[in-house]
């Protein structure tokens, strides 16, 4: 969703659409970029899915905090940003 009457700075998303820096689309894309900026694969996995040891959750991830649907949506956004960078 764009906000044409918005006075906040405008940005271009990876799909070429333009939006303001207060939009949900921009928030989602910057979070995906944040995940991709993590240097190790296990860090990204922990951020998304958390960490369990001996059947006990040691570190909560997006999956635990926001639910499976939100986690899957973020994983898809991460893939989309990663593909756009190739």
């Amino acid at each position: 969703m764009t906000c044409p009457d918005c006075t906040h700075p405008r940005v271009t998303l990876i799909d070429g659409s333009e939006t303001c820096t207060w939009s949900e689309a921009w928030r989602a894309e910057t979070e995906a970029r944040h995940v991709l900026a993590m240097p190790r694969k296990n860090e990204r996995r922990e951020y998304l899915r958390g960490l369990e040891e001996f059947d006990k959750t040691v570190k909560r991830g997006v999956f635990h905090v926001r639910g499976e649907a939100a986690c899957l949506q973020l994983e898809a956004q991460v893939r989309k940003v990663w593909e756009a960078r190739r």
Side-chain angles (χ1 to χ4, degrees):
M1 182 175 141
T2 61
C3 18
D5 299 327
C6 182
T7 59
H8 296 104
R10 308 291 292 171
V11 291
T12 302
L13 301 175
I14 58 166
D15 64 3
S17 63
E18 191 176 286
T19 188
C20 82
T21 56
W22 282 56
S23 71
E24 176 61 22
W26 178 244
R27 187 213 55 81
E29 187 167 311
T30 56
E31 185 175 23
R33 291 178 185 191
H34 169 73
V35 172
L36 285 172
M38 294 176 183
R40 294 189 317 266
K41 187 176 183 177
N42 65 330
E43 284 181 85
R44 295 188 292 270
R45 188 178 302 118
E46 285 179 18
Y47 182 86
L48 293 165
R49 297 287 174 164
L51 178 63
E52 293 189 10
E53 292 178 354
F54 307 110
D55 295 329
K56 183 178 178 186
T57 302
V58 177
K59 181 180 176 183
R60 293 173 15 137
V62 172
F63 179 82
H64 297 96
V65 177
R66 298 185 224 162
E68 184 177 13
C71 185
L72 292 172
Q73 191 173 31
L74 178 55
E75 289 172 339
Q77 184 69 25
V78 168
R79 278 196 248 20
K80 188 175 172 183
V81 171
W82 185 75
E83 286 292 327
R85 289 181 174 180
R86 295 172 89 203

